[in-house]
Amino acid sequence: MTKHDIEVTRRGVLATGAATAAVLAVQAAYAQPIVPLASLPSAKVSLVVNGHNEDLTLDTRTTLLDALREHLHLTGTKKGCDHGQCGACTVMVNGRRINSCLTLAVMHQGDKVTTIEGLGTPEQLHPMQAAFIKHDGYQCGYCTPGQICSAVAVLAEIKADIPSHVTGDLLPHASFSADEVRERMSGNICRCGAYSNILDAITEVSGETA
Ligand code: FES
Ligand code: FES
């Protein structure tokens, strides 16, 4: 072994040691203290979900979406973006649709929540579920529970004369039209692009022609 070989080896050892020390320092800097579960802020909340009373003790930061999916195992409601941008998490609360990813469960004490599991059963589908199947209103199906919950709410909104951005005459009513449906369903994104078939399904259930 030459003197040069010994020098290279010594440098290699020093470099390896320095790198290891740097990694350990970074790990120490970013290591999070382990917080005992019992010390997390929690609260009791009672919901009526699909007609059943549910009493939960939740981390107060739990969204309604996570309470439904992770705590009540109602996985029909989907998490798409978790940022209020896709509509996959749409459920009805006290008869009005909301994005369940944008609201905390503890804000809904005593509220009545309806998810896709509460609209119909495989044996007895809700008319909107049946119409989506008949008109092929989905491909992958990931957005479909949110689409159906929204579609049911849209027909109720039109029936209740609640105007939308495209309603021409605010006095006194909103009437069914393809434009009304498109506008009101615009918060429900379908990456598969099943929009025209979704419109057909909603139109059939409305009993009118768009
Ligand atoms: Fe709630 Fe996308 S998951 S809007
Ligand atoms: Fe695939 Fe809508 S059916 S995203």
Side-chain angles (χ1 to χ4, degrees), residues 108-133:
H108 294 282
Q109 177 66 29
D111 282 355
K112 293 187 175 69
V113 181
T114 304
T115 69
I116 190 72
E117 292 92 342
L119 278 184
T121 64
E123 298 74 34
Q124 193 163 8
L125 295 173
H126 184 282
M128 193 64 78
Q129 292 172 314
F132 266 63
I133 293 171

Side-chain angles (χ1 to χ4, degrees), residues 137-144 147 189-194:
Y138 53 86
Q139 288 183 39
C140 76
Y142 198 79
C143 72
T144 310
Q147 300 276 5
I189 307 300
C190 176
R191 278 85 167 179
C192 297

Side-chain angles (χ1 to χ4, degrees), residues 92-182:
M92 281 185 277
V93 175
N94 299 332
R96 297 186 64 183
R97 59 183 167 153
I98 64 168
N99 288 336
S100 60
C101 70
L102 286 188
T103 187
L104 298 175
V106 292
M107 295 164 63
H108 294 282
Q109 177 66 29
D111 282 355
K112 293 187 175 69
V113 181
T114 304
T115 69
I116 190 72
E117 292 92 342
L119 278 184
T121 64
E123 298 74 34
Q124 193 163 8
L125 295 173
H126 184 282
M128 193 64 78
Q129 292 172 314
F132 266 63
I133 293 171
K134 177 179 170 186
H135 291 278
D136 224 5
Y138 53 86
Q139 288 183 39
C140 76
Y142 198 79
C143 72
T144 310
Q147 300 276 5
I148 290 175
C149 286
S150 235
V152 170
V154 160
L155 293 188
E157 287 166 15
I158 293 174
K159 198 171 175 187
D161 292 337
I162 298 170
S164 77
H165 181 66
V166 299
T167 306
D169 178 5
L170 300 185
L171 299 175
H173 66 275
S175 55
F176 186 94
S177 71
D179 281 347
E180 283 286 355
V181 174
R182 288 192 191 104

